[in-house]
Every structure is written in structure tokens, then in C-alpha cells.
Amino acid sequence: MMPVKCEICPLRKKPLFAEMDDDIVRFMQEFKVGEMKVKAGTTLMMEGSNAPQLYTALEGMGLRYKTLIDGDRQVINFVLPGDFIGLQAGVMREMQHSVEASTDMILCVFDRKTLWDLFQNHPERAFDLTWVAAVEEHLLGESLAILGQMSGIERVARAFVRLHDRCEALDLKHGAGVPLPFKQQDLADALGLSLVHTNKTLKKLRDQSIAKWANGKLEVMSYTRLCEIAQLDPTRDPIIRPLI
Amino acid sequence: MMPVKCEICPLRKKPLFAEMDDDIVRFMQEFKVGEMKVKAGTTLMMEGSNAPQLYTALEGMGLRYKTLIDGDRQVINFVLPGDFIGLQAGVMREMQHSVEASTDMILCVFDRKTLWDLFQNHPERAFDLTWVAAVEEHLLGESLAILGQMSGIERVARAFVRLHDRCEALDLKHGAGVPLPFKQQDLADALGLSLVHTNKTLKKLRDQSIAKWANGKLEVMSYTRLCEIAQLDPTRDPIIRPLI
DNA sequence: CGTGACTTTGACAAATGTCAAAGCATGTGG
DNA sequence: CCACATGCTTTGACATTTGTCAAAGTCACG
């Protein structure tokens, strides 16, 4: 099967991503060495290793996580289409977290070795890479504030709003809900809550008809009330980011 | 008073920072538009604003924080000499957190407008900037795991080890301890604990003769035991980063 | 002195975690 | 087609951690 041409990349035109000049698109086409399909459960990057390849998620979802000495797992964030994977491997010695596919995924593949070429000959793209890193930094800072200052139900609500909005921006809404192909344990590990407590919190949102998450689908029934709990302004603007 | 020349910058030679070519040093000297001294308590960057200037901390300490709707504050991290301030303002529309000086500080000042020149004409420096962003991302991911998975005493121990090591790497050790010019409330806000609980946790570490923090000085009495609680290998290597 | 900012303590309340078991799909081998 | 094993979700009872409130202690400073 032919890989998707960057030129006609369906992600590129979503308003979530910064616009891209035509010559940048041509360069990306060159920079891209191929496409990869992986099955759910595949480990894409390993904490502590150095990866020869970098990716951009095209389809499917995954998660980034760290494993602690005592075996606990912290999910750093969820990987959705448009996310760049492997920046740390690209510029630091090695990855500081692992990345795993939660569903089957399709990824754009880049070569780590040509990253330097990007910096030397395509300053706009280098800038965009830094921009992506800064957006990532922002999102992690926000997550930190969520774990540090918010209660269980607030954290779940926040996660739902974030994921719901991102899916909508990607036009992933089909029917009543958006896809959320994770386990409750994944969400628990992301929010720093126990599985049991997460489960009971989900029940509360269900019982109050605010949001329902089952069978890999998230249905937000009252966006307003969800935002209220999540301490978010329902009319705020999304963060624009470049697509690598 | 004459500003410090980059050439003789005392930070540059610390093994914590990546080595820098001579011509890069010359460029940085140009890039640098001046030096700034601020008093303790000064707000250097405001969440939501765009800053015309970027900084590198030379002396003194500060903190980055976010304020939530309900007034809670999350301290994102502590700012120590060598930290770059304002990357988000440089590449995104605006800062996503505030930065405040906890002590008097001296900062290297750069002009946001010349950042683009850096990307166009100094790819190594552009790479370093991305590298810094990646290191920051790593540290935030680690913080996330700390807040999400560790108990109160473990969090405090982690923070102490991190800060102690960083101060040592900067040769800030004088006498029995390292400077830690923050309030208990700052640490509490960084670790997602209440002030009272933080205070009681500090007492535990004191009573067990593991670490004592008073009058802005942190004295680590048993690095081994502290690392044990912090779930850290006491022999691990520090992360090297570029100095901007 | 008296005031304000910070730290320390004790008593009590609330949120969250742990354990254990049951429920419920789904897939597989007999 | 059934029986059973597996992985995930749901529940209830109970334990523990952490937060909240209120007050007192300490220290620097005008």
C-alpha cells in the first residue's frame, strides 16, 4: 500500500495545527522515510534506550509512561494523531519514557540521523520542533497542576474535556461519542488515582448524566457541567501547534 | 558595573552543562543584550502575557508557577542558576506560567526578536534550545510521576535530592548545607501537599536525622537514606544540558 | 513592644487507597 | 455448543493518608 503523501495528509488541514508552507511540505515529504503500521500493544519506544527513528502518529492512539522502581506506572500523557514521538531520543542521549500503542496505529517515520540536516537547512522546521517541545512542556505543566491541586473527580473531568476536545479537533467524533480506547487502569495511572477510586469516580459522572465512558467510547452529555467540574472555561481557545 | 562576559561566565565550565564551542560563545556574547538585577519577590514573567525578553538565571533562585481558577497555586519547578526562562514566550504566543524571583537574582538578558536570527544562522544553538526544551520536558515528566505515584515523604525526599544535587553541581555548597531559599508553602505547592502536611513530613526527616531544612539552608545528613526514600539510585548520573 | 510573616502542633474531618469478591464479556479447547 | 479461563469492570467494607481548622510559637523589623 502506498504511503500517504504529505501533500494530501489529512491531518495537516485541521485547524488544530499551524499552517505549513508548500516548500516545507515538500521537505517533509523527503524527510519522511516511510510509514509504519503496528498492532495494539506494541512498544514504540523504550525508556532508557535510544531510538533510530522518530514518528508522528497518523492514526490510532497510544500512551507515554514511566515505570518507577517499585513497579508503579505513571502515564505521562495519551498519544493521539498529530503527536510527535521521540523528540527526546532525537536531542538527548535517550528516551526518558516509554511509548506504547493502545490500538493499532499508523505512524509517519523519520530518521533520527537526518534531524541535524533539518536544523542546518530548514530553520523554520527547526523552530517548529522547538515549538512542539514548548507546547509539550506547557501541557505537562498543566498536568502537573492537575495532579497537584485537583480532586479525583476534577482530574477525571479535566482528562475527559482534554481528550474530548482533541478528538473533536481531529474530527474523530463519530455518532454520539469520541473514541477513547484505553483501560480504566490507564486513566488511573495518568491521574495518579487508584483503579478503584477512578472507577467509582466514573460512576459518579455517569449517575449525574455528565459523561459516560464505556467500550472505548466517551460520550459527553453535559459539556458545560464537565467544564465546570474541570475548572475550565468552556469557550477557551485551543492551543495551536505545528504538525511535524 | 560591567556585565559578565560570556567568555568568562562562571557557569559555563560546570560539568552539568554541555561544552560550548568558542564561536558559539562569541555569538552568545552578541545575542546577549545585557544583564538584569532584580530584588526578591519580583515577577519576571506573567502567565498569559508575552515577554519581550528571555533570560538565563546567573545567580539567585526563583520559581515557576501556575495559578488555578480557584486560587490554588502549582509550583511547576524551582529556577536555579543556568536555567533558561521564557522559551514559551519565545516560540508560542504567550507564557503558560509565571516566574518569580525568590531571592535577589542576576539574569542574562536576551531579545526575543533576535531568536529567529538564532534559528537562521546558528543551527547548533537552535539545536541546543530544543535540547533544553527536551530536558525540561523530561524533568516535568519526572515531576508528574512524583506527584502521581509517590507518598508525601517520598515526594519531599525526591525534591531534596534533586535540589541538593543541582546545588552541588553548581558548587553552591557552603559549609554544612546548600541554599534553599524557599518557604515551606512553596515546597508544598510544588509537591501537591498541604502546608501542614509538608511541615509534619519535614519534621519526620529531621527527627530521623536524614535531612534538616531551616533558615533557607538544606542540610542532608544521610544522602543514602534520603535516596532510599526518594526511590533513587544514589550513584545515578546527572542529566547534562546546554547552557543558553 | 507590637506587628506581620512564617513555622509548628494537636484534634478532627475528608478523600483516597487497599483488599477481596463478584460480575461480565470474550475467546478457546473439548 | 458448552465449560472454562482470562482480562477488565464494578462493588462493599475497611484502613490509611492527607487535608482542614485553630491556636500557639518564633523571629525579624519598625
Side-chain angles (χ1 to χ4, degrees), chain B residues 111-137:
Chain B
D111 196 337
R112 193 175 107 68
K113 290 197 304 278
T114 58
L115 194 66
W116 178 239
D117 174 55
L118 183 151
F119 274 93
Q120 278 204 307
N121 299 317
H122 298 273
E124 319 89 342
R125 219 71 262 262
F127 185 90
D128 286 348
L129 211 54
T130 311
W131 183 355
V132 165
V135 169
E136 213 62 52
E137 187 194 326

PDB file of all heavy atoms in Angstrom, chain B residues 111-137:
ATOM      1  N   ASP B 111      17.115  39.134  23.656  1.00  0.00           N
ATOM      2  CA  ASP B 111      15.981  39.768  22.999  1.00  0.00           C
ATOM      3  C   ASP B 111      15.185  38.728  22.216  1.00  0.00           C
ATOM      4  O   ASP B 111      15.721  38.021  21.370  1.00  0.00           O
ATOM      5  CB  ASP B 111      16.500  40.857  22.058  1.00  0.00           C
ATOM      6  CG  ASP B 111      15.387  41.796  21.652  1.00  0.00           C
ATOM      7  OD1 ASP B 111      14.215  41.388  21.715  1.00  0.00           O
ATOM      8  OD2 ASP B 111      15.710  42.937  21.297  1.00  0.00           O
ATOM      9  N   ARG B 112      13.919  38.683  22.501  1.00  0.00           N
ATOM     10  CA  ARG B 112      13.037  37.731  21.835  1.00  0.00           C
ATOM     11  C   ARG B 112      13.080  37.868  20.308  1.00  0.00           C
ATOM     12  O   ARG B 112      13.011  36.890  19.572  1.00  0.00           O
ATOM     13  CB  ARG B 112      11.609  38.005  22.323  1.00  0.00           C
ATOM     14  CG  ARG B 112      10.587  36.956  22.009  1.00  0.00           C
ATOM     15  CD  ARG B 112       9.277  37.343  22.665  1.00  0.00           C
ATOM     16  NE  ARG B 112       8.313  37.810  21.687  1.00  0.00           N
ATOM     17  CZ  ARG B 112       7.749  37.033  20.765  1.00  0.00           C
ATOM     18  NH1 ARG B 112       8.075  35.767  20.678  1.00  0.00           N
ATOM     19  NH2 ARG B 112       6.874  37.517  19.917  1.00  0.00           N
ATOM     20  N   LYS B 113      13.201  39.098  19.866  1.00  0.00           N
ATOM     21  CA  LYS B 113      13.155  39.354  18.421  1.00  0.00           C
ATOM     22  C   LYS B 113      14.335  38.735  17.676  1.00  0.00           C
ATOM     23  O   LYS B 113      14.231  38.416  16.500  1.00  0.00           O
ATOM     24  CB  LYS B 113      13.138  40.869  18.154  1.00  0.00           C
ATOM     25  CG  LYS B 113      11.833  41.545  18.566  1.00  0.00           C
ATOM     26  CD  LYS B 113      11.676  42.914  17.917  1.00  0.00           C
ATOM     27  CE  LYS B 113      12.832  43.831  18.206  1.00  0.00           C
ATOM     28  NZ  LYS B 113      12.719  44.504  19.520  1.00  0.00           N
ATOM     29  N   THR B 114      15.460  38.578  18.376  1.00  0.00           N
ATOM     30  CA  THR B 114      16.634  38.037  17.688  1.00  0.00           C
ATOM     31  C   THR B 114      16.667  36.515  17.731  1.00  0.00           C
ATOM     32  O   THR B 114      17.581  35.888  17.217  1.00  0.00           O
ATOM     33  CB  THR B 114      17.934  38.575  18.312  1.00  0.00           C
ATOM     34  OG1 THR B 114      17.950  38.233  19.695  1.00  0.00           O
ATOM     35  CG2 THR B 114      18.027  40.075  18.174  1.00  0.00           C
ATOM     36  N   LEU B 115      15.639  35.934  18.331  1.00  0.00           N
ATOM     37  CA  LEU B 115      15.590  34.479  18.424  1.00  0.00           C
ATOM     38  C   LEU B 115      15.558  33.848  17.035  1.00  0.00           C
ATOM     39  O   LEU B 115      16.187  32.826  16.767  1.00  0.00           O
ATOM     40  CB  LEU B 115      14.340  34.053  19.214  1.00  0.00           C
ATOM     41  CG  LEU B 115      14.301  32.605  19.684  1.00  0.00           C
ATOM     42  CD1 LEU B 115      15.390  32.352  20.704  1.00  0.00           C
ATOM     43  CD2 LEU B 115      12.943  32.273  20.295  1.00  0.00           C
ATOM     44  N   TRP B 116      14.836  34.505  16.161  1.00  0.00           N
ATOM     45  CA  TRP B 116      14.719  33.972  14.804  1.00  0.00           C
ATOM     46  C   TRP B 116      16.073  33.962  14.087  1.00  0.00           C
ATOM     47  O   TRP B 116      16.400  33.036  13.344  1.00  0.00           O
ATOM     48  CB  TRP B 116      13.681  34.772  14.020  1.00  0.00           C
ATOM     49  CG  TRP B 116      13.542  34.308  12.618  1.00  0.00           C
ATOM     50  CD1 TRP B 116      13.731  35.032  11.495  1.00  0.00           C
ATOM     51  CD2 TRP B 116      13.205  32.978  12.191  1.00  0.00           C
ATOM     52  NE1 TRP B 116      13.534  34.241  10.394  1.00  0.00           N
ATOM     53  CE2 TRP B 116      13.229  32.973  10.788  1.00  0.00           C
ATOM     54  CE3 TRP B 116      12.922  31.789  12.867  1.00  0.00           C
ATOM     55  CZ2 TRP B 116      12.957  31.836  10.038  1.00  0.00           C
ATOM     56  CZ3 TRP B 116      12.647  30.657  12.123  1.00  0.00           C
ATOM     57  CH2 TRP B 116      12.667  30.674  10.718  1.00  0.00           C
ATOM     58  N   ASP B 117      16.858  34.977  14.372  1.00  0.00           N
ATOM     59  CA  ASP B 117      18.215  35.037  13.822  1.00  0.00           C
ATOM     60  C   ASP B 117      19.015  33.826  14.265  1.00  0.00           C
ATOM     61  O   ASP B 117      19.769  33.224  13.504  1.00  0.00           O
ATOM     62  CB  ASP B 117      18.894  36.327  14.303  1.00  0.00           C
ATOM     63  CG  ASP B 117      20.358  36.386  13.896  1.00  0.00           C
ATOM     64  OD1 ASP B 117      20.627  36.256  12.683  1.00  0.00           O
ATOM     65  OD2 ASP B 117      21.222  36.538  14.777  1.00  0.00           O
ATOM     66  N   LEU B 118      18.787  33.465  15.512  1.00  0.00           N
ATOM     67  CA  LEU B 118      19.474  32.295  16.053  1.00  0.00           C
ATOM     68  C   LEU B 118      19.126  31.041  15.251  1.00  0.00           C
ATOM     69  O   LEU B 118      19.995  30.245  14.892  1.00  0.00           O
ATOM     70  CB  LEU B 118      19.086  32.141  17.529  1.00  0.00           C
ATOM     71  CG  LEU B 118      19.710  31.032  18.354  1.00  0.00           C
ATOM     72  CD1 LEU B 118      19.774  31.464  19.822  1.00  0.00           C
ATOM     73  CD2 LEU B 118      18.911  29.744  18.260  1.00  0.00           C
ATOM     74  N   PHE B 119      17.853  30.883  14.961  1.00  0.00           N
ATOM     75  CA  PHE B 119      17.450  29.694  14.202  1.00  0.00           C
ATOM     76  C   PHE B 119      18.018  29.716  12.783  1.00  0.00           C
ATOM     77  O   PHE B 119      18.416  28.693  12.244  1.00  0.00           O
ATOM     78  CB  PHE B 119      15.928  29.574  14.161  1.00  0.00           C
ATOM     79  CG  PHE B 119      15.372  28.858  15.349  1.00  0.00           C
ATOM     80  CD1 PHE B 119      14.955  29.564  16.469  1.00  0.00           C
ATOM     81  CD2 PHE B 119      15.277  27.469  15.366  1.00  0.00           C
ATOM     82  CE1 PHE B 119      14.456  28.893  17.593  1.00  0.00           C
ATOM     83  CE2 PHE B 119      14.777  26.797  16.468  1.00  0.00           C
ATOM     84  CZ  PHE B 119      14.365  27.511  17.585  1.00  0.00           C
ATOM     85  N   GLN B 120      18.071  30.914  12.199  1.00  0.00           N
ATOM     86  CA  GLN B 120      18.528  31.001  10.817  1.00  0.00           C
ATOM     87  C   GLN B 120      20.027  30.834  10.660  1.00  0.00           C
ATOM     88  O   GLN B 120      20.488  30.221   9.708  1.00  0.00           O
ATOM     89  CB  GLN B 120      18.119  32.354  10.226  1.00  0.00           C
ATOM     90  CG  GLN B 120      16.683  32.344   9.746  1.00  0.00           C
ATOM     91  CD  GLN B 120      16.471  33.395   8.685  1.00  0.00           C
ATOM     92  OE1 GLN B 120      16.802  34.562   8.905  1.00  0.00           O
ATOM     93  NE2 GLN B 120      15.925  32.991   7.544  1.00  0.00           N
ATOM     94  N   ASN B 121      20.775  31.395  11.589  1.00  0.00           N
ATOM     95  CA  ASN B 121      22.216  31.442  11.376  1.00  0.00           C
ATOM     96  C   ASN B 121      23.044  30.604  12.334  1.00  0.00           C
ATOM     97  O   ASN B 121      24.255  30.517  12.189  1.00  0.00           O
ATOM     98  CB  ASN B 121      22.682  32.904  11.461  1.00  0.00           C
ATOM     99  CG  ASN B 121      22.012  33.748  10.398  1.00  0.00           C
ATOM    100  OD1 ASN B 121      21.899  33.331   9.252  1.00  0.00           O
ATOM    101  ND2 ASN B 121      21.516  34.912  10.805  1.00  0.00           N
ATOM    102  N   HIS B 122      22.396  30.014  13.315  1.00  0.00           N
ATOM    103  CA  HIS B 122      23.175  29.248  14.279  1.00  0.00           C
ATOM    104  C   HIS B 122      22.467  27.954  14.640  1.00  0.00           C
ATOM    105  O   HIS B 122      21.979  27.787  15.754  1.00  0.00           O
ATOM    106  CB  HIS B 122      23.451  30.090  15.518  1.00  0.00           C
ATOM    107  CG  HIS B 122      24.250  31.295  15.214  1.00  0.00           C
ATOM    108  ND1 HIS B 122      25.629  31.282  15.194  1.00  0.00           N
ATOM    109  CD2 HIS B 122      23.886  32.545  14.851  1.00  0.00           C
ATOM    110  CE1 HIS B 122      26.077  32.476  14.854  1.00  0.00           C
ATOM    111  NE2 HIS B 122      25.026  33.265  14.637  1.00  0.00           N
ATOM    112  N   PRO B 123      22.453  27.055  13.684  1.00  0.00           N
ATOM    113  CA  PRO B 123      21.733  25.796  13.878  1.00  0.00           C
ATOM    114  C   PRO B 123      22.163  25.027  15.129  1.00  0.00           C
ATOM    115  O   PRO B 123      21.324  24.404  15.775  1.00  0.00           O
ATOM    116  CB  PRO B 123      22.048  25.001  12.607  1.00  0.00           C
ATOM    117  CG  PRO B 123      23.154  25.720  11.915  1.00  0.00           C
ATOM    118  CD  PRO B 123      23.060  27.138  12.338  1.00  0.00           C
ATOM    119  N   GLU B 124      23.424  25.132  15.511  1.00  0.00           N
ATOM    120  CA  GLU B 124      23.846  24.406  16.726  1.00  0.00           C
ATOM    121  C   GLU B 124      23.125  24.965  17.947  1.00  0.00           C
ATOM    122  O   GLU B 124      22.711  24.240  18.830  1.00  0.00           O
ATOM    123  CB  GLU B 124      25.354  24.529  16.986  1.00  0.00           C
ATOM    124  CG  GLU B 124      26.252  24.421  15.782  1.00  0.00           C
ATOM    125  CD  GLU B 124      26.477  25.780  15.144  1.00  0.00           C
ATOM    126  OE1 GLU B 124      25.694  26.732  15.419  1.00  0.00           O
ATOM    127  OE2 GLU B 124      27.432  25.902  14.358  1.00  0.00           O
ATOM    128  N   ARG B 125      23.028  26.298  17.945  1.00  0.00           N
ATOM    129  CA  ARG B 125      22.354  26.919  19.085  1.00  0.00           C
ATOM    130  C   ARG B 125      20.861  26.622  19.069  1.00  0.00           C
ATOM    131  O   ARG B 125      20.233  26.428  20.105  1.00  0.00           O
ATOM    132  CB  ARG B 125      22.582  28.440  19.037  1.00  0.00           C
ATOM    133  CG  ARG B 125      22.825  29.066  20.415  1.00  0.00           C
ATOM    134  CD  ARG B 125      24.149  28.712  20.988  1.00  0.00           C
ATOM    135  NE  ARG B 125      24.174  27.636  21.944  1.00  0.00           N
ATOM    136  CZ  ARG B 125      24.178  27.785  23.273  1.00  0.00           C
ATOM    137  NH1 ARG B 125      24.048  28.961  23.820  1.00  0.00           N
ATOM    138  NH2 ARG B 125      24.318  26.743  24.058  1.00  0.00           N
ATOM    139  N   ALA B 126      20.286  26.576  17.870  1.00  0.00           N
ATOM    140  CA  ALA B 126      18.866  26.215  17.750  1.00  0.00           C
ATOM    141  C   ALA B 126      18.659  24.801  18.285  1.00  0.00           C
ATOM    142  O   ALA B 126      17.704  24.520  19.018  1.00  0.00           O
ATOM    143  CB  ALA B 126      18.424  26.301  16.296  1.00  0.00           C
ATOM    144  N   PHE B 127      19.591  23.935  17.927  1.00  0.00           N
ATOM    145  CA  PHE B 127      19.520  22.561  18.419  1.00  0.00           C
ATOM    146  C   PHE B 127      19.581  22.541  19.942  1.00  0.00           C
ATOM    147  O   PHE B 127      18.814  21.833  20.599  1.00  0.00           O
ATOM    148  CB  PHE B 127      20.683  21.749  17.835  1.00  0.00           C
ATOM    149  CG  PHE B 127      20.643  20.293  18.185  1.00  0.00           C
ATOM    150  CD1 PHE B 127      19.973  19.397  17.362  1.00  0.00           C
ATOM    151  CD2 PHE B 127      21.258  19.816  19.330  1.00  0.00           C
ATOM    152  CE1 PHE B 127      19.918  18.050  17.674  1.00  0.00           C
ATOM    153  CE2 PHE B 127      21.211  18.471  19.661  1.00  0.00           C
ATOM    154  CZ  PHE B 127      20.533  17.584  18.830  1.00  0.00           C
ATOM    155  N   ASP B 128      20.478  23.332  20.485  1.00  0.00           N
ATOM    156  CA  ASP B 128      20.623  23.387  21.943  1.00  0.00           C
ATOM    157  C   ASP B 128      19.334  23.863  22.609  1.00  0.00           C
ATOM    158  O   ASP B 128      18.959  23.389  23.678  1.00  0.00           O
ATOM    159  CB  ASP B 128      21.779  24.308  22.334  1.00  0.00           C
ATOM    160  CG  ASP B 128      23.125  23.667  22.045  1.00  0.00           C
ATOM    161  OD1 ASP B 128      23.159  22.455  21.765  1.00  0.00           O
ATOM    162  OD2 ASP B 128      24.139  24.383  22.097  1.00  0.00           O
ATOM    163  N   LEU B 129      18.669  24.795  21.966  1.00  0.00           N
ATOM    164  CA  LEU B 129      17.429  25.314  22.515  1.00  0.00           C
ATOM    165  C   LEU B 129      16.387  24.194  22.585  1.00  0.00           C
ATOM    166  O   LEU B 129      15.669  24.042  23.574  1.00  0.00           O
ATOM    167  CB  LEU B 129      16.915  26.450  21.621  1.00  0.00           C
ATOM    168  CG  LEU B 129      16.129  27.565  22.296  1.00  0.00           C
ATOM    169  CD1 LEU B 129      16.912  28.166  23.440  1.00  0.00           C
ATOM    170  CD2 LEU B 129      15.768  28.633  21.282  1.00  0.00           C
ATOM    171  N   THR B 130      16.331  23.407  21.540  1.00  0.00           N
ATOM    172  CA  THR B 130      15.410  22.275  21.526  1.00  0.00           C
ATOM    173  C   THR B 130      15.820  21.255  22.581  1.00  0.00           C
ATOM    174  O   THR B 130      14.981  20.665  23.263  1.00  0.00           O
ATOM    175  CB  THR B 130      15.408  21.614  20.137  1.00  0.00           C
ATOM    176  OG1 THR B 130      15.253  22.626  19.153  1.00  0.00           O
ATOM    177  CG2 THR B 130      14.270  20.617  20.021  1.00  0.00           C
ATOM    178  N   TRP B 131      17.110  21.098  22.715  1.00  0.00           N
ATOM    179  CA  TRP B 131      17.653  20.190  23.717  1.00  0.00           C
ATOM    180  C   TRP B 131      17.199  20.627  25.116  1.00  0.00           C
ATOM    181  O   TRP B 131      16.718  19.822  25.926  1.00  0.00           O
ATOM    182  CB  TRP B 131      19.172  20.181  23.595  1.00  0.00           C
ATOM    183  CG  TRP B 131      19.914  19.239  24.493  1.00  0.00           C
ATOM    184  CD1 TRP B 131      19.402  18.456  25.486  1.00  0.00           C
ATOM    185  CD2 TRP B 131      21.319  18.994  24.476  1.00  0.00           C
ATOM    186  NE1 TRP B 131      20.403  17.738  26.087  1.00  0.00           N
ATOM    187  CE2 TRP B 131      21.589  18.045  25.494  1.00  0.00           C
ATOM    188  CE3 TRP B 131      22.395  19.475  23.716  1.00  0.00           C
ATOM    189  CZ2 TRP B 131      22.885  17.582  25.751  1.00  0.00           C
ATOM    190  CZ3 TRP B 131      23.682  19.007  23.983  1.00  0.00           C
ATOM    191  CH2 TRP B 131      23.907  18.068  24.985  1.00  0.00           C
ATOM    192  N   VAL B 132      17.330  21.913  25.379  1.00  0.00           N
ATOM    193  CA  VAL B 132      16.881  22.442  26.665  1.00  0.00           C
ATOM    194  C   VAL B 132      15.398  22.146  26.883  1.00  0.00           C
ATOM    195  O   VAL B 132      14.979  21.719  27.961  1.00  0.00           O
ATOM    196  CB  VAL B 132      17.102  23.970  26.749  1.00  0.00           C
ATOM    197  CG1 VAL B 132      16.317  24.577  27.903  1.00  0.00           C
ATOM    198  CG2 VAL B 132      18.575  24.273  26.918  1.00  0.00           C
ATOM    199  N   ALA B 133      14.627  22.348  25.827  1.00  0.00           N
ATOM    200  CA  ALA B 133      13.191  22.095  25.937  1.00  0.00           C
ATOM    201  C   ALA B 133      12.935  20.622  26.234  1.00  0.00           C
ATOM    202  O   ALA B 133      12.046  20.283  27.023  1.00  0.00           O
ATOM    203  CB  ALA B 133      12.487  22.509  24.648  1.00  0.00           C
ATOM    204  N   ALA B 134      13.721  19.749  25.623  1.00  0.00           N
ATOM    205  CA  ALA B 134      13.538  18.313  25.850  1.00  0.00           C
ATOM    206  C   ALA B 134      13.916  17.932  27.277  1.00  0.00           C
ATOM    207  O   ALA B 134      13.269  17.095  27.909  1.00  0.00           O
ATOM    208  CB  ALA B 134      14.363  17.504  24.854  1.00  0.00           C
ATOM    209  N   VAL B 135      14.974  18.555  27.790  1.00  0.00           N
ATOM    210  CA  VAL B 135      15.371  18.290  29.174  1.00  0.00           C
ATOM    211  C   VAL B 135      14.259  18.740  30.114  1.00  0.00           C
ATOM    212  O   VAL B 135      13.878  18.045  31.063  1.00  0.00           O
ATOM    213  CB  VAL B 135      16.690  19.012  29.527  1.00  0.00           C
ATOM    214  CG1 VAL B 135      16.955  18.948  31.025  1.00  0.00           C
ATOM    215  CG2 VAL B 135      17.855  18.402  28.755  1.00  0.00           C
ATOM    216  N   GLU B 136      13.720  19.894  29.805  1.00  0.00           N
ATOM    217  CA  GLU B 136      12.622  20.427  30.613  1.00  0.00           C
ATOM    218  C   GLU B 136      11.443  19.462  30.591  1.00  0.00           C
ATOM    219  O   GLU B 136      10.824  19.175  31.620  1.00  0.00           O
ATOM    220  CB  GLU B 136      12.202  21.777  30.016  1.00  0.00           C
ATOM    221  CG  GLU B 136      11.712  22.776  31.026  1.00  0.00           C
ATOM    222  CD  GLU B 136      12.769  23.134  32.036  1.00  0.00           C
ATOM    223  OE1 GLU B 136      13.912  23.510  31.662  1.00  0.00           O
ATOM    224  OE2 GLU B 136      12.474  23.011  33.245  1.00  0.00           O
ATOM    225  N   GLU B 137      11.156  18.961  29.424  1.00  0.00           N
ATOM    226  CA  GLU B 137      10.061  18.006  29.275  1.00  0.00           C
ATOM    227  C   GLU B 137      10.329  16.764  30.123  1.00  0.00           C
ATOM    228  O   GLU B 137       9.437  16.247  30.791  1.00  0.00           O
ATOM    229  CB  GLU B 137       9.917  17.623  27.800  1.00  0.00           C
ATOM    230  CG  GLU B 137       8.705  16.762  27.497  1.00  0.00           C
ATOM    231  CD  GLU B 137       8.788  16.134  26.110  1.00  0.00           C
ATOM    232  OE1 GLU B 137       9.339  16.767  25.194  1.00  0.00           O
ATOM    233  OE2 GLU B 137       8.309  14.990  25.956  1.00  0.00           O
TER     234      GLU B 137
END
